Amino acid sequence: TTARAVLRMRASMVGGPAGNVDDLNRLLTQDTAETGRFVTLFYLSMEPSPDAGRPGRMRWVRAGHDPALVYDPATGEFMELSDGGVPLGIIGDVAYEEFTFDGMAGGQVVALGTDGIWEARNRDGEMFGKGRLRRIIRDKADRPAREIVEAVLEELWAFRRGVAAEDDVTLVVVRVTGDNPLTCPELV
């Protein structure tokens, strides 16, 4: 909750994603450096193009969190937003880097989840895996974001067949809609 509050406050001020994460890390490290505790974060900013006929931009900073997946149904391909740095709260003087993707377009699906999804195991010890996650996203890419999340969670629970979760399961999906990306994004 501290990280969320500080980040929300910092994001309302002048500066970009990297500066916001730098400041958050400096503050968290003052409290956590000697405890062994840390926070992973994926900070994503989605910006429409000023020209409706051109692609929009995604800017991100990754601090130890698993990469975001971007599925483009126009090409049938996935891309991972994987560049990034160390978790927050470990080293106070880290300079986080901002990365960009200038190809954001209507129809794309962005999924950001915790490893509790793909590392979940069934009774036979088999892992759910990123392949299953990608298949579900591909199969449901034309559906609203909420339905994509529901489909992933439904298949995950069926896969586990009553095996207790060993880790948290968190999934955020954004489906870029419209001719002008982000005219009305669907976020769940």
Side-chain angles (χ1 to χ4, degrees):
T1 56
T2 300
R4 181 174 184 249
V6 169
L7 188 58
R8 288 182 70 130
M9 187 250 343
R10 180 58 181 89
S12 70
M13 301 164 63
V14 176
N20 295 344
V21 174
D22 286 348
D23 289 350
L24 171 60
N25 181 58
R26 252 187 310 283
L27 291 169
L28 283 178
T29 303
Q30 293 173 10
D31 291 336
T32 61
E34 302 301 320
T35 67
R37 302 181 92 182
F38 60 89
V39 174
T40 65
L41 172 82
F42 195 100
Y43 185 119
L44 178 66
S45 171
M46 300 173 78
E47 304 159 359
S49 170
D51 175 1
R54 303 203 50 172
R57 170 183 288 173
M58 293 183 207
R59 299 185 309 156
W60 77 92
V61 175
R62 191 169 73 91
H65 201 283
D66 285 304
L69 285 174
V70 179
Y71 176 66
D72 188 346
T75 64
E77 295 182 7
F78 281 89
M79 174 180 71
E80 286 194 358
L81 305 181
S82 59
D83 295 320
V86 298
L88 303 169
I90 298 173
I91 305 167
D93 61 352
V94 171
Y96 289 89
E97 188 174 349
E98 177 180 308
F99 299 92
T100 62
F101 169 62
D102 290 320
M104 185 178 70
Q108 291 175 341
V109 177
V110 181
L112 181 62
T114 56
D115 59 5
I117 297 169
W118 44 88
E119 291 180 359
R121 294 186 183 275
N122 64 16
R123 291 180 183 168
D124 300 325
E126 179 186 9
M127 292 177 76
F128 187 76
K130 286 190 178 182
R132 281 187 178 86
L133 175 64
R134 288 175 185 230
R135 179 189 44 79
I136 298 165
I137 292 169
R138 182 181 299 111
D139 291 349
K140 302 292 182 183
D142 63 337
R143 307 301 307 152
R146 179 172 304 285
E147 289 183 28
I148 297 170
V149 170
E150 289 169 355
V152 170
L153 296 179
E154 193 173 290
E155 191 162 329
L156 178 63
W157 303 151
F159 173 83
R160 287 188 12 225
R161 296 187 317 253
V163 173
E166 295 178 15
D167 202 351
D168 69 294
V169 171
T170 303
L171 178 63
V172 175
V173 171
V174 178
R175 186 170 167 272
V176 183
T177 60
D179 294 332
N180 181 0
L182 293 189
T183 302
C184 78
E186 298 175 273
L187 168 65
V188 174

